[in-house]
Amino acid sequence: MPILDHLWIILALPLAGAAINGLLGKRWPQTAINTVAVGSVSLTFVAVAELVREFWQFSGPLPYVNNYFTWIIAGPFRVNSELQVDQLTVVMLCVVSFVGMLIHVYSTGYMAHEDGYYRFFCYLNLFMFFMLTLVLGANLIVMFVGWEGVGLCSYLLIGFYYLRKSAADAGKKAFIVTRIGDFGFTVGVLLAFWTFNSVNFSDIFHQLSTMPAEGATQVGVLTAIALLLFTGAIGKSAQLPLYVWLPDAMEGPTPVSALIHAATMVTAGVYMVSRMNPLFSRAPLAMLVVAIVGAVTALYSATIGLVQTDIKKVLAYSTVSQLGYMFLACGVGSYAAGIFHLMTHAFFKGLLFLAAGSVIHAMGGEQNMMKMGGLRKQIPVTYWTMFIGTLTIAGIPGFAGFFSKDEILEAAKSGPNANIWLWLMGIVGAGLTSFYMFRLVFLTFFGTPRYDEHHVHVHESPKSMTVPLIFLAFLSIFGGWFAAPKLVGGIDHFSKFLDPVFSAYPVPGAQAVAAEPAASGSLELLHALTGWPVIVAVLGLLLAWWMYIKSPETPKRLAKSVHGLYLLLLNKYYVDELYAAVIVRPLLWMSTHVLWHVVDEELIDGALHGAARTAQASGGELRKLQSGNARSYATWVVIGAVSFTVLLLGLWMAR
């Protein structure tokens, strides 16, 4: 049975796993839960692998669409249950299914002693279902189902330890903040239907193919749709100003951080912008906004990561920063570079989060790096894999992050929508990234132990946790080599594979960018190895080494000398406090003192209670008429008859 003709199988497998474990898992042993949860996502990966094989042999028109049934009909509004496959879908399916499978395996070891084991894997499987739905959807509504579904699962998984107030609050914060962005996304979908009379990608893109680009300073309907959709991406992918939920989301179990907040869900916004590239390419003002938001977020988040002491919080701000690079790539028109970094980021950030989880597991739950140190010999597998992940995210030549980040910065510097200021912010952010990531490694694994060795028994994690680390470390090294031939005058195979998606609907009248003469292989390689991205990465490494290995007292002296700046960064620019003062507390006051006490209690409840009291009082007075005295009743009958007679006479005389 060809998977290409039965794409629903890819969705049905994790959904079945979630349903089985959710309904029956409470009474099952962990081995049975593992079999269902890991087995369902493993079969999903097998199905995706078979899909890739069939796709490679497919010679028909793309995207390949499966229409199963008509879902919604409301006047002219018609939505089909449609799934599609093209080159972009294939990349996303491979990343989501393979990284998701590894994280499921890792979770069997990490969560082995936690309560609610079956519930955790139910949520994790359900998340896989919704993320795959988002990727496979052939129209905006099916995509939106997956979009909202991953938001729901994020809330459930972040708040998994719901008895802990901080975790419950973090889950609610994530849900509410992303809903703000999703409101804009919803309005954008409605405006897209109003404009194109369809929500299908194929219909929208074919209509766009005949439309010219709007002006660089023009806010037309295309720009409005693009900006509204991007609002949803800002929330889902944790960009300024809606990034505040993601650092708090570290309250969830570490595998959740790896899967949802590094490899899959937070990249949904990048995928959406890339999928809607024919729209964004015709809205240059929207693309500029995307690029600016991405570059500023990349630099801003990197500065916060410099001084954080919680190992997961450092990685959280690193995730926000790396997502900024992906949006920078999309904003300057290099969508393939953005997706390339999305893929490599899934490898190295998934690795870093899982390695951090292994460190936390070895330290008995401790997350403060200032209470670690000297761990590299006790947990060597965790150390070496995390060191590889750090080399990758820093952009050291030869590792996956080097290829993808270099493409983004090159596009920002010399691409068709290049902007030297955006490139400069990207370069500074890259240097800061290298510094704070090597700071993390040196504080965690080097120096003398800063923990009580009598009470903390450091031990390497079980193979169920270390084997996924090794796989992701391998991908972090070699996952970017699709682009390696370009450095010696060859072809970037990754960009070539995605080119049909991003060049299918060129802007009418736009001048093609003239290709620069190909440099010789040796010059291209020399330029890549000695360019600014590599220079700042090495400088960041050396500075971190000097400050935390060679002269470990320097950070303390520096923090004292610039105490105000240090506190500003340590407290994350006080943005949460600012939002609480300007938005949260006024809304709470308004809801409590106006909507609750005035509108609800005094107006609504007052009207209802007043009507009840009036009816009760009136009934009490009328009740007195029922005296039981026959003469009283006769008197009322006479009064009524006389009154009725007078009324009839009055009406007759009026005629």
Side-chain angles (χ1 to χ4, degrees), residues 9-161:
I9 293 175
I10 296 174
L11 304 181
L13 289 168
L15 182 61
I20 293 171
N21 271 335
L23 295 173
L24 306 174
K26 189 174 183 178
R27 296 182 293 273
W28 285 358
Q30 287 189 359
T31 52
I33 296 171
N34 295 344
T35 301
V36 172
V38 179
S40 63
V41 294
S42 299
L43 289 174
T44 301
F45 175 68
V46 171
V48 169
E50 171 61 20
L51 173 66
V52 173
R53 187 192 66 81
E54 294 174 13
F55 182 84
W56 212 257
Q57 298 175 348
F58 182 71
S59 58
L62 293 174
Y64 184 82
V65 180
N66 283 352
N67 183 6
Y68 297 105
F69 56 88
T70 300
W71 180 20
I72 303 172
I73 299 179
F77 185 69
R78 183 185 183 93
V79 179
N80 294 326
S81 178
E82 293 180 321
L83 304 178
Q84 71 172 26
V85 174
D86 62 4
Q87 292 86 347
L88 179 57
T89 310
V90 166
V91 172
M92 293 297 296
L93 286 176
C94 291
V95 170
V96 173
S97 61
F98 185 67
V99 175
M101 179 182 67
L102 291 180
I103 293 173
H104 273 72
V105 173
Y106 177 95
S107 299
T108 61
Y110 190 88
M111 301 295 293
H113 304 293
E114 298 287 349
D115 294 331
Y117 189 81
Y118 79 97
R119 182 166 52 89
F120 176 81
F121 280 101
C122 170
Y123 295 162
L124 218 57
N125 276 179
L126 188 63
F127 170 83
M128 290 289 290
F129 163 73
F130 281 121
M131 188 66 201
L132 292 167
T133 300
L134 189 157
V135 169
L136 283 167
N139 58 62
L140 285 167
I141 303 302
V142 175
M143 174 191 276
F144 189 66
V145 170
W147 187 275
E148 291 300 297
V150 294
L152 168 64
C153 293
S154 177
Y155 162 74
L156 294 172
L157 287 164
I158 293 168
F160 178 75
Y161 302 119

Side-chain angles (χ1 to χ4, degrees), residues 311-312 314-315 348-360 369 372 375 379-394 399 436-438 440-442 444-445 469-470 472-473 476:
I311 189 170
K312 287 177 66 176
V314 174
L315 296 178
F348 64 72
K349 188 53 67 64
L351 168 62
L352 288 168
F353 265 115
L354 294 186
S358 184
V359 171
I360 296 168
M369 296 184 298
M372 298 180 186
L375 296 177
I379 47 175
V381 176
T382 301
Y383 162 67
W384 282 109
T385 53
M386 194 165 202
F387 188 66
I388 289 171
T390 302
L391 292 170
T392 308
I393 191 175
F399 294 84
Y436 68 67
M437 285 307 305
F438 281 106
L440 180 152
V441 169
F442 295 146
T444 303
F445 296 102
L469 294 180
I470 294 170
L472 288 172
S476 296

Side-chain angles (χ1 to χ4, degrees), residues 478-539:
F478 299 106
W481 282 75
F482 298 103
K486 182 181 178 182
L487 300 182
V488 290
I491 298 173
D492 182 340
H493 294 290
F494 190 86
S495 295
K496 182 181 179 182
F497 178 71
L498 288 177
D499 187 62
V501 176
F502 300 129
S503 62
Y505 301 97
V507 180
Q511 294 183 352
V513 180
E516 296 182 3
S520 66
S522 57
L523 289 177
E524 187 77 21
L525 181 61
L526 181 64
H527 172 73
L529 296 179
T530 59
W532 278 108
V534 175
I535 292 173
V536 296
V538 173
L539 288 176

